[in-house]
Amino acid sequence: MDDGKLTEAAKEKLRLTIERIERLEEEKKEVADQIKDVFAEAKSMGYDTKALRQVIRIRKQDRQEREEAEAILETYLIALGEI
């Protein structure tokens, strides 16, 4: 878009949209830093952070979908002689 084709109202909406995205990006960074701190705290208490991340990922999944994926994984591992 050519700057000359935007009305003042459109320019203002664009500016506000960009500023809103920038604020949300900053909030996202702050939350990511907080999560990092919680993982560091968990590690200092002796928890395995890799396992914690896996538990969190699993808990986000739909139970039925997770069970189906686990069944397929088990089938593959059996076929490969891994279990």
Side-chain angles (χ1 to χ4, degrees):
M1 275 187 171
D2 183 349
D3 180 53
K5 294 184 181 187
L6 290 177
T7 65
E8 286 304 313
K11 289 177 186 178
E12 180 65 10
K13 284 182 182 180
L14 176 61
R15 185 185 63 76
L16 291 173
T17 299
I18 296 297
E19 289 175 357
R20 182 175 175 207
I21 292 169
E22 290 170 339
R23 280 192 307 274
L24 290 170
E25 288 288 342
E26 183 59 33
E27 289 176 24
K28 183 170 75 170
K29 181 188 175 306
E30 290 171 7
V31 169
D33 289 343
Q34 291 173 9
I35 291 170
K36 182 179 174 184
D37 291 344
V38 172
F39 274 110
E41 182 180 329
K43 185 174 184 175
S44 73
M45 291 187 291
Y47 293 116
D48 181 315
T49 56
K50 186 175 179 180
L52 290 177
R53 290 179 193 281
Q54 188 171 1
V55 168
I56 291 165
R57 190 181 77 246
I58 289 169
R59 286 171 50 108
K60 287 180 184 178
Q61 296 173 344
D62 174 75
R63 180 177 296 270
Q64 184 176 354
E65 289 176 11
R66 184 178 75 234
E67 289 172 354
E68 289 172 6
E70 288 171 353
I72 292 169
L73 178 61
E74 183 177 353
T75 299
Y76 289 176
L77 290 172
I78 290 169
L80 294 171
E82 297 293 325
I83 57 173

